[in-house]
Amino acid sequence: MKNIKILLLPVLLFAGTLFAQQTPAAKQTTPVTIVGATAHIGNGEMIKNSLIILEDGKIRTITDASSTKMPYRGTVIEAKGKHVYPGFIAPNSTLGLVEIDAVRQSDDEDELGEMLPHVRSVVAYNAESHVVESMRPNGVLIGQITPRGGRISGTSSIVQFDAWNWEDAVLKENDGLHINWPNTVRRGRWWEGEERGIKPNDKYEGHVRDLSDFFKNAKAYLAGPREKTNLPFEAMKEVFEGNKRLYFHADAEKEIIDLLAFIKEHSLKNVVLVGGYDAYKIADQLKANNIAVLVGRVHDTPNLEDQDYDLPYKMAHLLNEKGVLVGLETSGDMERMNSRNLPFYAGTVIAFGADKEEALKMITSNTAKILGVDDQMGTLEVGKDATLFISEGDALDMRTNKVTKAFIQGRDISLESHQTNLAKRYSEKYDTQTE
């Protein structure tokens, strides 16, 4: 038995190194100076020869290196010919809520029920997810962790991607409530004998009415004596006070128009449209109502045969031209794994009409504004979190984006992941075979 225990110990140690996530970086204790890189501020501006000083987890200096004699401090990183970007932000994400779709025990994105404003997704967030750590090598350092399912899915929170647990990860807890607007159409349920294909949803008006009744009942409850606690209604308090954002997930033109009427009826503030496939058709109305849009995945195909083949590619640009505040989100099939492609979605937006720095804003400063955290992140500005990265090339181009250094709140984080470890392992295998 003693020999078995001795043999098991190295096996367990090896398993730990194979399956555990990289150890989170320690708190910043020494200043870091980055010199010579082209700094993409994230607000549309650039500094071609920049001097950036990070200290105590914050950006303390960012200026043109050629126009200052400011002394360097702490660790100096010579970055001439490279590029510095704010950490990219992935909104409306289920990262950390599901690890393996086929393993039920690792799936925490949905709860039973329809009206669930009291559900908090962040408590189910797995900071040690292998999928989460694979975001960092592409510069995706922050995410909005969002529940799915039901009519009201629950509350999202904003986290950084280098942490021991959800408490360490959270940057803004319970930032907003997510509501799935009813669909105007539905697919025939062939397994119940219905004709296949898309048809009008004859229950649409009833579903909208149910949602409206929930809002009215919650207001009535909060205005009353509250003799018996109702958790879903209690969770609506901050929504009605305007302290919590409302993220409505809707796509069709009629759905969005009805949603605008719903917002007006219930005097709702801080509203964001998520998905918004037909939003470009009523962009002027969205602009007039100050509704920002988190545009659905760029790398997609049109929904209908008579639509432009490149509609998903240029949709963000069409809205941006109309003055709508636009961010990019990545939900859909394989959304957690595909979230690492967020910068390349922005690159596609450039290819289909957008200015390069405008597209960058859609995954940095615009998204930070939409999520209500632009005082902390989204741009390279003095006083904001030192959450940024250095790339050898254009971070929005998959051919040239090679992240060499990344910092979250000034902490020099690891860029290693399960995937980079496998890449090195098999590179060595083939190098050995060719000798």
Side-chain angles (χ1 to χ4, degrees), residues 22-33:
Q22 296 297 319
T23 301
K27 184 177 180 180
Q28 183 184 14
T29 56
T30 304
V32 174
T33 301

Side-chain angles (χ1 to χ4, degrees), residues 266-301:
H266 294 279
S267 302
L268 302 176
K269 301 176 182 178
N270 296 327
V271 174
V272 177
L273 176 62
V274 182
Y277 187 84
D278 285 342
Y280 70 98
K281 297 179 180 179
I282 51 172
D284 291 334
Q285 290 174 254
L286 294 172
K287 169 67 175 175
N289 286 276
N290 197 31
I291 306 294
V293 181
L294 290 173
V295 174
R297 189 186 298 176
V298 174
H299 290 179
D300 206 349
T301 54

